[in-house]
Amino acid sequence: MTWLLAYAVLGAMAGVLAGSMGIGGGLVIVPGLLFLFHLQGLDPSFLSHVAIGSSLAIIVPTALSSLWAHHKRGAIDWPVVLRLTPGLMFGALCGAWLASRFSTDLLKTLFGLFLLVVAFQMYSGLHPGRGKKQGQGAAVFFPVGTVIGAVSGLVGIGGGTMTVPFLVWRGKSLPGSIATSAACGLPIAIAGTLGFMLMGADLGAGSSTGFVYWPAVAAVGLFAVLTAPVGARLAHSLPVPVLKKWFALLLVIVGARLLIG
């Protein structure tokens, strides 16, 4: 019960932050699970693998919840989602395959570097300029989707930090890009979860399938879904731009801690 409570608190934090600041829950969930799994005494050889695989599984219900909310407002560009999905799923599987062959320390290092990049983007507010409306040819969507999916599968996120800038560059408005990116997180999470389940090692725990630890998935996922609407409401009353800068500094601290060891 103690660990389930800890997972619930982590899920609530991830949900509120995702809802209020529009960040991906994986940025909070992966380091949080790394810390809790370490305290819980899970196999240290696979801590990063289980944290990333479980994070992707948690993103499935949260992505569904976000997707449905945006769909009801008619904000999702479904043709773009369908064109990106093959590449996203293929890339996420490749990311899971790569992760299964990396050491837990290398995965922690990669995630730490990724946090530093996200922190810089968040603190600076750097975004690509909105491009002119371009053709919807499939040629560009598969390779871009593959790269986004591979990075997302490797670090356990839904890909919004990459999908949104790509869609804005392609000519979509920022709100439309965010909504469409939320839908793109679902195929990434599904394919990545399956990859970590199938390619994961035997952890000797009946509550896991490969690198997915189900008690954490259930508790974190439930409370993340429940609290995300609370965060969305807070976004209208809190100084979100200021909070994003402070959160970026927190990401720097967490990223540096992962890089140091």
Side-chain angles (χ1 to χ4, degrees), residues 15-113:
V16 170
L17 289 170
S20 60
M21 291 193 280
I23 63 169
L27 296 177
V28 178
I29 293 170
V30 172
L33 288 180
L34 273 171
F35 177 70
L36 293 177
F37 289 161
H38 171 71
L39 293 180
Q40 197 172 347
L42 294 187
D43 188 342
S45 301
F46 299 112
L47 281 185
S48 298
H49 302 78
V50 183
I52 293 170
S54 299
S55 174
L56 288 165
I58 291 164
I59 291 171
V60 172
T62 57
L64 276 170
S65 175
S66 178
L67 179 157
W68 180 246
H70 287 296
H71 175 70
K72 288 191 295 184
R73 292 174 172 79
I76 298 175
D77 189 337
W78 285 109
V80 169
V81 174
L82 293 176
R83 287 182 172 92
L84 279 171
T85 291
L88 293 173
M89 298 191 76
F90 175 71
L93 285 171
C94 291
W97 178 80
L98 282 173
S100 70
R101 279 148 179 79
F102 288 170
S103 69
T104 194
D105 288 335
L106 178 55
L107 286 177
K108 279 196 294 184
T109 298
L110 292 174
F111 189 81
L113 290 172

Side-chain angles (χ1 to χ4, degrees), residues 91-151:
L93 285 171
C94 291
W97 178 80
L98 282 173
S100 70
R101 279 148 179 79
F102 288 170
S103 69
T104 194
D105 288 335
L106 178 55
L107 286 177
K108 279 196 294 184
T109 298
L110 292 174
F111 189 81
L113 290 172
F114 182 77
L115 287 185
L116 294 182
V117 172
V118 173
F120 170 77
Q121 188 276 330
M122 187 176 292
Y123 191 87
S124 65
L126 187 65
H127 292 284
R130 184 177 179 183
K132 296 180 180 179
K133 191 67 175 179
Q134 302 181 38
Q136 301 290 330
V140 70
F141 285 99
F142 185 81
V144 169
T146 299
V147 172
I148 293 173
V151 174

Side-chain angles (χ1 to χ4, degrees), residues 156-217:
I157 62 170
T161 53
M162 295 168 284
T163 309
V164 171
F166 168 70
L167 294 175
V168 170
W169 175 76
R170 291 284 298 177
K172 292 195 67 63
S173 67
L174 182 58
S177 297
I178 292 172
T180 304
S181 173
C184 290
L186 183 60
I188 291 174
I190 291 174
T193 300
L194 289 174
F196 275 89
M197 288 170 61
L198 296 173
M199 300 172 198
D202 181 10
L203 302 177
S207 299
S208 64
T209 305
F211 289 137
V212 177
Y213 188 65
W214 295 112
V217 172

Side-chain angles (χ1 to χ4, degrees), residues 225-247:
V225 169
L226 291 176
T227 57
V230 177
R233 288 194 293 270
L234 289 174
H236 299 285
S237 57
L238 295 176
V240 173
V242 175
L243 291 178
K244 277 191 172 183
K245 292 186 180 298
W246 283 105
F247 185 72

